[in-house]
Amino acid sequence: MTYSTYKININGVVQGVGFRPFIYTLASKLGLKGKISNGASGVEIYINATTVQLKEFLDKINKHKPSLSQIDNIIHIKVDNQIFENFTIEKSDSGGEKTVKIPPDLYVCKECQSELFDPNNRRFNYPFITCTQCGVRYSIITNLPYDREFTSMSSFKMCKACKEEYNDPTNRRYHAQPIGCFDCGPKLSWFENDTWQKSDKEYSVFIDKAVDAIKNGKIVAIKGVGGYHLVCDATNSDAVKTLRDRKNRPSKPFAIMTNDINMAKNLAEISTNEELLLNSPQRPIVLLKALPDISKEISTFVAPNINTIGVFLPYTPLHLLLMNKLNRPLIATSANISDEPLCINLESLKKLKNVYDAILDHNREIVNGCDDSVAMVVKEKTVMLRRARGYAPLSIKLPSVLKENILAFGANQKNTIAIGFGNDVVLSPHIGDLGNIESVNYLKSNVETFTKLYDFKPDIVLYDFHPQYESTKFAKENYKNTQGVWHHHAHILSVVAEHKIELPVLGVAFDGTGYGEDGTLWGGEFLVCNKNGFDRVLSLEPFLLLGGEKAIKEPRRVALSILFDIYGKEAINLNNHVISAFEKNELENFYTMYEKKINSPKTSSMGRLFDAVASMLNVCQIITFEGESGMRLEELFDKNIKEYYEFDVINKKIQIDKIIKSILREKDKKIAVSKFFRTIVEIINFVQQDYKNMPLVLSGGVFQNRILLSLLIEKFPNIYFAQAIPPNDGGIALGQIASMMNLD
Ligand code: ZN
Ligand code: ZN
Ligand code: FE
């Protein structure tokens, strides 16, 4: 038997997931000698083996790799013969190109959970228990490779017992970077009545203090993985109302954390896939249909008059310990001032000092803020609505190679950024709405993080053509080689990239608003996307947004402007819900605004048409949170009503007047809403007749509507829509990079 020395490089998610101990154990079992190390582009293995042994080794790597790992490719080459005494794990090499994937923050694995509740274990009740198979990752990383010195755990000196586990390749905590225990790890502290309480050892008592405070109706800010939550007892109406008052959040539903899946089942209908998602290591907030008698279980103030609730399960040991003692559903909502980024340290949390009564804190620094992820399941398919903790940073393989390094700045709402190199795109976690200085700063720090972690220098920087987007301004002001991408084109291409679809496609881009080629706001668009760009083959007949931004908050303004389009000034004398939502003199003023087009941009937005319909049916005149009108319309849908409204198409514009007139004539809201949903499906069906040879691709925030999406999946079983990336503007950055794919 002749041995040769092979060098094997493995890329993908191979760091922070127990990959080296796995290889160590495998090599030892097979009696192979050599070494392994982490590098900036993955792991590097040297091994002495025969060709047969090499094949077996590689097969077993693929077959038995750690469950959290993901292998993108394995390359092996024969190198000059080397001599090894045994198989060893070498110190990391921090040179080389940084292409390794950063592992996301994950829940507490089963083994750690059983240790957490085992009185005989030395980590019994330890709120930061972790191993190579679970725990914090992305949120604590300052640089690559993923080693303790490049995380916020670097300031904690391991005790003897932890160090032994850390250095033992057969231990579950071998090189588990966030390893720690009561003696050496991060510590809890408690703040109440203007006083901090800290303790070196007995800090478990602070968990009891938090439990008592929550039981007593208090609001507690609790430090989690990617930021703080504001937490209170969801069964206590006074507590929930206080939180609403203090946060100035009148009706937007709060997310609920339950002990476990069984407690969640007392609140909502849960399908098999929803259960899998709730229990997944990523632990996102899952939007569920509330049970009719949910008010017996939790306060009606949690989600007033809304049948959709967001539920998630505990995802850190600290949450598990709290929930175990509280044993009731909690509100756990992101600690931030509305639309500002999540608070990740005490400094930023100060802004909320009038909201919380106490803080349960700890001293492990959050390096990279990361919100809770939000997902839903439609027709047993998962759709990510906000991609953050547990998933981020996400890396997607493009179907073709990028010629240059590309940085994309995304949109302005639900902003994410992305970097592209080779055929990889890494999408940042949800950054948020860039409507304030804090969010813009957060955007900047994300750009810094990403360029640093991946040692990335962009050759080309992409922005949305909307001149007022903060992301656009920032890109243009700070970079030289910039290029614009059209908003709705990016929407469609994000799905093309996710599903690796071959162009051309018929794209349906329905959203709130985005800047269009003609300088108006688009949002109800049919785009045929091909290798050279796109053709706008059809769109909604545009209408005016009376008062611009204000019309987005007030569906009644959109409805009124559409009524003016149809009936002229006479609309003022109509007897309907839209007209009665205004004072008489307001109507006169709005007519002048309409006639003279004062601060009233033109839009073909489908999202705004939903708003107008909600106003006409008196479902929603002024919204209190984004997406409210669509959510309320969903609840009126009756699947037994199969008819739709007639519509015309003139000069490549879908006319809405007939639809609107029919809706106004309808006596029953349910019939009107149901037929309206069916009409949208029919419009798509009508357009699709001319493009039957092309894949049908949906994208844009309107497709967050569960009813519309499920009707479309039923009608077009082969339809493509955003799943791993959000259909809303959170996917724009990916779509922008996809526009640079070399398709020849
Ligand atoms: Zn674990
Ligand atoms: Zn220790
Ligand atoms: Fe959009």
Side-chain angles (χ1 to χ4, degrees):
M1 275 202 298
T2 47
Y3 293 90
S4 303
T5 302
Y6 293 93
K7 181 178 147 190
I8 305 166
N9 283 93
I10 307 180
N11 302 109
V13 182
V14 290
Q15 291 185 13
V17 291
F19 208 83
R20 288 174 301 169
F22 157 71
I23 296 290
Y24 173 90
T25 315
L26 180 64
S28 311
K29 246 188 227 160
L30 300 176
L32 300 174
K33 291 171 180 174
K35 61 180 183 180
I36 179 172
S37 61
N38 269 347
S41 59
V43 293
E44 191 171 86
I45 303 166
Y46 285 85
I47 202 143
N48 283 347
T50 63
T51 47
V52 177
Q53 285 173 323
L54 177 73
K55 191 180 174 297
E56 186 182 11
F57 185 59
L58 295 177
D59 283 351
K60 291 210 158 136
I61 292 175
N62 270 316
K63 235 185 180 162
H64 303 296
K65 64 179 188 288
S67 58
L68 298 179
S69 68
Q70 175 203 315
I71 295 177
D72 286 343
N73 53 55
I74 303 186
I75 302 165
H76 68 269
I77 49 166
K78 211 187 246 187
V79 293
D80 288 345
N81 273 6
Q82 293 182 34
I83 296 166
F84 300 104
E85 294 293 313
N86 43 30
F87 195 90
T88 53
I89 299 177
E90 304 280 295
K91 204 176 155 20
S92 295
D93 158 26
S94 59
E97 223 185 307
K98 296 189 183 177
T99 56
V100 72
K101 286 175 184 165
I102 299 171
D105 302 294
L106 297 176
Y107 82 129
V108 197
C109 75
K110 280 217 170 69
E111 279 91 345
C112 284
Q113 279 187 49
S114 55
E115 290 176 1
L116 180 66
F117 293 110
D118 173 8
N120 298 316
N121 191 283
R122 72 183 188 95
R123 291 192 180 86
F124 176 53
N125 281 343
Y126 177 58
F128 306 98
I129 191 167
T130 176
C131 72
T132 49
Q133 297 307 301
C134 72
V136 287
R137 299 287 187 273
Y138 170 72
S139 62
I140 60 163
I141 290 177
T142 56
N143 212 337
L144 286 181
Y146 176 59
D147 261 339
R148 188 158 166 121
E149 59 178 311
F150 297 129
T151 71
S152 58
M153 286 301 292
S154 62
S155 55
F156 298 93
K157 200 173 173 299
M158 272 182 250
C159 70
K160 197 168 161 281
C162 284
K163 198 155 200 163
E164 270 172 28
E165 292 173 300
Y166 184 87
N167 286 326
D168 174 3
T170 63
N171 193 288
R172 202 172 90 248
R173 294 198 171 85
Y174 176 75
H175 284 209
Q177 309 305 347
I179 190 176
C181 69
F182 282 105
D183 291 330
C184 68
K187 291 175 179 29
L188 292 177
S189 54
W190 176 250
F191 178 82
E192 198 179 12
N193 302 327
D194 282 325
T195 325
W196 277 106
Q197 296 181 41
K198 302 191 183 198
S199 164
D200 260 354
K201 276 237 153 100
E202 286 310 308
Y203 53 78
S204 293
V205 297
F206 301 142
I207 292 180
D208 298 326
K209 284 186 188 287
V211 167
D212 286 342
I214 292 166
K215 277 185 180 166
N216 290 322
K218 295 273 169 37
I219 295 158
V220 184
I222 299 177
K223 192 174 186 179
V225 165
Y228 288 80
H229 279 138
L230 293 168
V231 176
C232 76
D233 182 352
T235 67
N236 181 336
S237 280
D238 287 337
V240 183
K241 249 184 95 193
T242 306
L243 179 58
R244 287 212 175 276
D245 291 345
R246 291 186 191 168
K247 255 207 118 183
N248 193 15
R249 176 165 157 163
S251 54
K252 186 179 177 186
F254 283 123
I256 302 289
M257 186 182 277
T258 61
N259 275 30
D260 51 26
I261 194 78
N262 293 326
M263 190 183 278
K265 283 179 178 169
N266 295 334
L267 307 179
E269 276 175 29
I270 298 177
S271 70
T272 314
N273 284 4
E274 285 167 337
E275 179 165 346
L276 283 172
L277 194 56
L278 282 163
N279 269 323
S280 70
Q282 289 80 12
R283 299 266 153 136
I285 296 173
V286 182
L287 300 186
L288 302 169
K289 190 159 185 267
L291 291 176
D293 57 352
I294 187 171
S295 59
K296 284 186 198 149
E297 302 288 333
I298 54 171
S299 162
T300 49
F301 294 110
V302 174
N305 303 316
I306 286 179
N307 293 328
T308 303
I309 54 162
V311 175
F312 60 146
L313 302 185
Y315 56 87
T316 71
L318 179 58
H319 291 134
L320 282 172
L321 294 170
L322 285 163
M323 293 306 278
N324 196 41
K325 291 185 170 172
L326 279 156
N327 198 28
R328 71 190 71 191
L330 299 184
I331 284 180
T333 186
S334 300
N336 63 346
I337 305 261
S338 51
D339 293 342
E340 283 190 13
L342 184 62
C343 300
I344 61 166
N345 51 41
L346 288 174
E347 188 52 38
S348 52
L349 191 66
K350 266 186 199 156
K351 284 190 185 173
L352 293 168
K353 64 175 187 293
N354 297 323
V355 180
Y356 56 78
D357 299 298
I359 306 171
L360 182 61
D361 199 36
H362 63 72
N363 59 347
R364 186 184 63 211
E365 188 198 343
I366 296 171
V367 180
N368 304 309
C370 202
D371 244 302
D372 292 317
S373 293
V374 182
M376 64 176 180
V377 177
V378 177
K379 293 262 155 200
E380 296 303 296
K381 303 233 198 258
T382 300
V383 176
M384 292 305 305
L385 300 176
R386 186 208 280 159
R387 194 162 183 115
R389 177 189 47 76
Y391 298 90
L394 163 77
S395 119
I396 283 188
K397 283 268 172 229
L398 292 175
S400 72
V401 178
L402 299 166
K403 283 183 185 152
E404 281 136 320
N405 284 352
I406 302 169
L407 168 63
F409 270 88
N412 208 59
Q413 273 195 312
K414 303 186 169 60
N415 177 270
T416 56
I417 56 159
I419 58 173
F421 47 88
N423 58 352
D424 283 300
V425 179
V426 187
L427 188 64
S428 78
H430 170 83
I431 293 171
D433 296 350
L434 306 177
N436 52 69
I437 192 86
E438 281 74 14
S439 303
V440 177
N441 286 335
Y442 189 50
L443 164 71
K444 288 179 202 165
S445 78
N446 266 275
V447 174
E448 279 162 23
T449 304
F450 271 73
T451 45
K452 184 179 74 183
L453 287 181
Y454 292 92
D455 222 348
F456 183 83
K457 282 188 196 70
D459 302 312
I460 299 177
V461 172
L462 303 178
Y463 58 82
D464 189 292
F465 268 116
H466 198 307
Q468 299 307 324
Y469 279 5
E470 293 301 330
S471 47
T472 301
K473 291 188 219 163
F474 184 79
K476 285 185 173 176
E477 280 161 19
N478 291 281
Y479 296 89
K480 277 209 183 89
N481 202 359
T482 57
Q483 229 169 284
V485 182
W486 295 106
H487 188 90
H488 298 94
H489 190 211
H491 263 310
I492 300 303
L493 291 184
S494 68
V495 179
V496 167
E498 182 192 336
H499 296 285
K500 302 181 177 56
I501 313 164
E502 226 175 283
L503 296 176
V505 300
L506 173 62
V508 187
F510 287 175
D511 66 355
T513 44
Y515 197 74
E517 280 181 313
D518 57 2
T520 71
L521 298 170
W522 290 10
E525 317 303 316
F526 288 89
L527 309 178
V528 168
C529 300
N530 50 45
K531 289 178 182 180
N532 303 317
F534 67 92
D535 272 324
R536 190 194 197 194
V537 293
L538 209 78
S539 60
L540 271 193
E541 178 71 44
F543 43 85
L544 300 185
L545 294 176
L546 300 177
E549 284 292 309
K550 275 209 173 122
I552 294 171
K553 298 249 155 70
E554 297 187 21
R556 59 179 189 169
R557 290 187 184 222
V558 184
L560 183 63
S561 118
I562 292 175
L563 292 182
F564 286 149
D565 279 341
I566 300 175
Y567 300 101
K569 199 176 180 182
E570 271 308 294
I572 291 180
N573 301 317
L574 292 173
N575 177 20
N576 63 38
H577 294 301
V578 182
I579 301 303
S580 31
F582 294 98
E583 304 289 333
K584 181 87 184 157
N585 64 327
E586 282 181 310
L587 290 167
E588 296 281 346
N589 292 342
F590 277 121
Y591 188 72
T592 313
M593 192 182 229
Y594 168 83
E595 208 183 11
K596 301 198 166 141
K597 296 192 169 56
I598 304 164
N599 187 21
S600 295
K602 224 174 167 185
T603 187
S604 52
S605 161
M606 183 59 85
R608 296 292 85 82
L609 182 62
F610 269 76
D611 282 354
V613 170
S615 163
M616 287 170 192
L617 299 171
N618 209 24
V619 169
C620 200
Q621 298 296 357
I622 297 176
I623 59 164
T624 59
F625 60 91
E626 200 214 323
E628 181 176 357
S629 59
M631 207 180 244
R632 294 198 186 279
L633 288 177
E634 274 183 33
E635 301 188 354
L636 292 164
F637 179 78
D638 179 347
K639 63 177 188 304
N640 299 313
I641 300 164
K642 311 265 185 193
E643 296 87 33
Y644 59 88
Y645 295 120
E646 293 293 316
F647 58 91
D648 295 319
V649 175
I650 302 173
N651 288 335
K652 303 207 289 184
K653 300 277 182 241
I654 302 145
Q655 307 298 309
I656 53 175
D657 52 345
K658 269 192 191 168
I659 304 170
I660 297 297
K661 283 180 181 166
S662 312
I663 288 174
L664 289 172
R665 272 197 300 269
E666 210 76 71
K667 294 272 178 299
D668 185 334
K669 270 186 205 183
K670 287 201 162 183
I671 295 177
V673 169
S674 311
K675 287 171 91 172
F676 175 65
F677 275 113
R678 300 260 182 208
T679 307
I680 306 302
V681 176
E682 201 44 45
I683 289 172
I684 294 174
N685 185 42
F686 168 81
V687 182
Q688 203 250 352
Q689 296 309 311
D690 290 339
Y691 302 94
K692 282 206 145 150
N693 54 337
M694 293 183 193
L696 182 57
V697 174
L698 308 176
S699 189
V702 167
F703 297 109
Q704 298 176 106
N705 190 296
R706 302 154 73 91
I707 299 291
L708 182 61
L709 187 56
S710 62
L711 290 175
L712 286 165
I713 297 170
E714 267 170 31
K715 178 97 187 171
F716 308 99
N718 298 321
I719 207 162
Y720 292 99
F721 50 96
Q723 291 185 255
I725 51 130
N728 57 48
D729 285 1
I732 291 285
L734 169 64
Q736 289 172 341
I737 291 188
S739 75
M740 301 297 287
M741 282 190 296
N742 177 23
L743 296 166
D744 300 315

